[in-house]
PDB file of all heavy atoms in Angstrom:
ATOM      1  N   LEU A1095      12.263   4.356  -4.027  1.00  0.00           N
ATOM      2  CA  LEU A1095      11.295   3.832  -3.089  1.00  0.00           C
ATOM      3  C   LEU A1095       9.954   3.743  -3.784  1.00  0.00           C
ATOM      4  O   LEU A1095       9.666   4.546  -4.698  1.00  0.00           O
ATOM      5  CB  LEU A1095      11.232   4.658  -1.813  1.00  0.00           C
ATOM      6  CG  LEU A1095      10.721   6.099  -1.901  1.00  0.00           C
ATOM      7  CD1 LEU A1095       9.193   6.164  -1.804  1.00  0.00           C
ATOM      8  CD2 LEU A1095      11.309   6.975  -0.803  1.00  0.00           C
ATOM      9  N   THR A1096       9.150   2.770  -3.454  1.00  0.00           N
ATOM     10  CA  THR A1096       7.872   2.551  -4.111  1.00  0.00           C
ATOM     11  C   THR A1096       6.766   2.645  -3.120  1.00  0.00           C
ATOM     12  O   THR A1096       6.915   2.411  -1.899  1.00  0.00           O
ATOM     13  CB  THR A1096       7.878   1.163  -4.779  1.00  0.00           C
ATOM     14  OG1 THR A1096       8.222   0.155  -3.798  1.00  0.00           O
ATOM     15  CG2 THR A1096       8.831   1.111  -5.935  1.00  0.00           C
ATOM     16  N   THR A1097       5.575   3.030  -3.615  1.00  0.00           N
ATOM     17  CA  THR A1097       4.434   3.263  -2.736  1.00  0.00           C
ATOM     18  C   THR A1097       3.191   2.611  -3.346  1.00  0.00           C
ATOM     19  O   THR A1097       3.136   2.183  -4.483  1.00  0.00           O
ATOM     20  CB  THR A1097       4.179   4.753  -2.532  1.00  0.00           C
ATOM     21  OG1 THR A1097       3.715   5.318  -3.785  1.00  0.00           O
ATOM     22  CG2 THR A1097       5.418   5.464  -2.042  1.00  0.00           C
ATOM     23  N   VAL A1098       2.164   2.569  -2.526  1.00  0.00           N
ATOM     24  CA  VAL A1098       0.830   2.049  -2.924  1.00  0.00           C
ATOM     25  C   VAL A1098      -0.204   3.128  -2.664  1.00  0.00           C
ATOM     26  O   VAL A1098      -0.201   3.721  -1.567  1.00  0.00           O
ATOM     27  CB  VAL A1098       0.499   0.758  -2.156  1.00  0.00           C
ATOM     28  CG1 VAL A1098      -0.919   0.317  -2.490  1.00  0.00           C
ATOM     29  CG2 VAL A1098       1.487  -0.342  -2.474  1.00  0.00           C
ATOM     30  N   SER A1099      -1.044   3.388  -3.591  1.00  0.00           N
ATOM     31  CA  SER A1099      -2.188   4.275  -3.378  1.00  0.00           C
ATOM     32  C   SER A1099      -3.369   3.417  -2.969  1.00  0.00           C
ATOM     33  O   SER A1099      -3.652   2.386  -3.629  1.00  0.00           O
ATOM     34  CB  SER A1099      -2.516   5.060  -4.670  1.00  0.00           C
ATOM     35  OG  SER A1099      -1.471   5.929  -5.010  1.00  0.00           O
ATOM     36  N   VAL A1100      -4.079   3.785  -1.932  1.00  0.00           N
ATOM     37  CA  VAL A1100      -5.205   3.003  -1.408  1.00  0.00           C
ATOM     38  C   VAL A1100      -6.461   3.847  -1.421  1.00  0.00           C
ATOM     39  O   VAL A1100      -6.484   4.945  -0.875  1.00  0.00           O
ATOM     40  CB  VAL A1100      -4.915   2.505   0.022  1.00  0.00           C
ATOM     41  CG1 VAL A1100      -6.108   1.643   0.510  1.00  0.00           C
ATOM     42  CG2 VAL A1100      -3.628   1.711   0.061  1.00  0.00           C
ATOM     43  N   ALA A1101      -7.467   3.338  -2.095  1.00  0.00           N
ATOM     44  CA  ALA A1101      -8.795   3.978  -2.104  1.00  0.00           C
ATOM     45  C   ALA A1101      -9.768   2.998  -1.413  1.00  0.00           C
ATOM     46  O   ALA A1101      -9.645   1.778  -1.497  1.00  0.00           O
ATOM     47  CB  ALA A1101      -9.291   4.246  -3.518  1.00  0.00           C
ATOM     48  N   GLY A1102     -10.716   3.558  -0.697  1.00  0.00           N
ATOM     49  CA  GLY A1102     -11.639   2.714   0.047  1.00  0.00           C
ATOM     50  C   GLY A1102     -11.476   2.744   1.537  1.00  0.00           C
ATOM     51  O   GLY A1102     -12.256   2.154   2.276  1.00  0.00           O
ATOM     52  N   GLY A1103     -10.404   3.399   1.988  1.00  0.00           N
ATOM     53  CA  GLY A1103     -10.195   3.524   3.416  1.00  0.00           C
ATOM     54  C   GLY A1103     -10.975   4.681   3.990  1.00  0.00           C
ATOM     55  O   GLY A1103     -11.798   5.317   3.305  1.00  0.00           O
ATOM     56  N   PRO A1104     -10.729   4.992   5.264  1.00  0.00           N
ATOM     57  CA  PRO A1104     -11.425   6.101   5.908  1.00  0.00           C
ATOM     58  C   PRO A1104     -11.227   7.411   5.143  1.00  0.00           C
ATOM     59  O   PRO A1104     -10.101   7.842   4.924  1.00  0.00           O
ATOM     60  CB  PRO A1104     -10.784   6.153   7.303  1.00  0.00           C
ATOM     61  CG  PRO A1104     -10.245   4.797   7.535  1.00  0.00           C
ATOM     62  CD  PRO A1104      -9.823   4.266   6.190  1.00  0.00           C
ATOM     63  N   GLY A1105     -12.307   8.022   4.740  1.00  0.00           N
ATOM     64  CA  GLY A1105     -12.252   9.290   4.013  1.00  0.00           C
ATOM     65  C   GLY A1105     -12.046   9.168   2.529  1.00  0.00           C
ATOM     66  O   GLY A1105     -12.051  10.172   1.824  1.00  0.00           O
ATOM     67  N   TYR A1106     -11.891   7.934   2.031  1.00  0.00           N
ATOM     68  CA  TYR A1106     -11.663   7.745   0.595  1.00  0.00           C
ATOM     69  C   TYR A1106     -12.546   6.610   0.067  1.00  0.00           C
ATOM     70  O   TYR A1106     -12.032   5.512  -0.273  1.00  0.00           O
ATOM     71  CB  TYR A1106     -10.185   7.441   0.313  1.00  0.00           C
ATOM     72  CG  TYR A1106      -9.213   8.507   0.807  1.00  0.00           C
ATOM     73  CD1 TYR A1106      -8.541   8.374   2.006  1.00  0.00           C
ATOM     74  CD2 TYR A1106      -9.001   9.636   0.054  1.00  0.00           C
ATOM     75  CE1 TYR A1106      -7.695   9.340   2.475  1.00  0.00           C
ATOM     76  CE2 TYR A1106      -8.121  10.595   0.488  1.00  0.00           C
ATOM     77  CZ  TYR A1106      -7.467  10.465   1.713  1.00  0.00           C
ATOM     78  OH  TYR A1106      -6.596  11.437   2.176  1.00  0.00           O
ATOM     79  N   PRO A1107     -13.851   6.790   0.033  1.00  0.00           N
ATOM     80  CA  PRO A1107     -14.752   5.702  -0.347  1.00  0.00           C
ATOM     81  C   PRO A1107     -14.638   5.368  -1.855  1.00  0.00           C
ATOM     82  O   PRO A1107     -14.264   6.201  -2.646  1.00  0.00           O
ATOM     83  CB  PRO A1107     -16.129   6.247   0.004  1.00  0.00           C
ATOM     84  CG  PRO A1107     -15.974   7.745  -0.117  1.00  0.00           C
ATOM     85  CD  PRO A1107     -14.590   8.029   0.357  1.00  0.00           C
ATOM     86  N   VAL A1108     -15.008   4.141  -2.180  1.00  0.00           N
ATOM     87  CA  VAL A1108     -15.049   3.705  -3.578  1.00  0.00           C
ATOM     88  C   VAL A1108     -16.442   3.150  -3.874  1.00  0.00           C
ATOM     89  O   VAL A1108     -17.131   2.645  -2.984  1.00  0.00           O
ATOM     90  CB  VAL A1108     -13.983   2.639  -3.881  1.00  0.00           C
ATOM     91  CG1 VAL A1108     -12.585   3.202  -3.727  1.00  0.00           C
ATOM     92  CG2 VAL A1108     -14.152   1.424  -2.971  1.00  0.00           C
ATOM     93  N   GLY A1109     -16.850   3.203  -5.142  1.00  0.00           N
ATOM     94  CA  GLY A1109     -18.136   2.720  -5.548  1.00  0.00           C
ATOM     95  C   GLY A1109     -18.045   1.332  -6.138  1.00  0.00           C
ATOM     96  O   GLY A1109     -16.940   0.817  -6.461  1.00  0.00           O
TER      97      GLY A1109
END
Side-chain angles (χ1 to χ4, degrees):
L1095 64 86
T1096 52
T1097 67
V1098 175
S1099 295
V1100 182
Y1106 302 98
V1108 295

